[in-house]
Amino acid sequence: MDTRDRMIVGTLWIAVAALMATTLESAVPDSAVGVVQLFVVALALFLAVLYLFDPWNVISNRQFH
């Protein structure tokens, strides 16, 4: 995956995290739904970092192509 594609996908994951973050309440989540929403935001941010910075060469290595 070239740099341009990685930037686009990383930006999309940031947009997903931002959209999900708008649904979170400002207090500490006390229900399972709140915890799942927080997990989805954290997962989307993790995937954004993975695609933008590729810290372990997972995207650039092309093991699965």
Side-chain angles (χ1 to χ4, degrees), residues 8-59:
I8 292 170
V9 173
T11 305
L12 286 173
W13 278 117
I14 290 174
V16 167
L19 184 65
M20 284 300 298
T22 60
T23 65
L24 292 175
E25 297 177 8
S26 60
V28 176
D30 57 350
S31 66
V33 173
V35 172
V36 169
Q37 287 176 334
L38 190 60
F39 175 75
V40 168
V41 170
L43 180 65
L45 289 175
F46 171 76
L47 288 173
V49 167
L50 185 69
Y51 275 98
L52 289 174
F53 300 113
D54 197 14
W56 302 289
N57 284 333
V58 174
I59 308 299

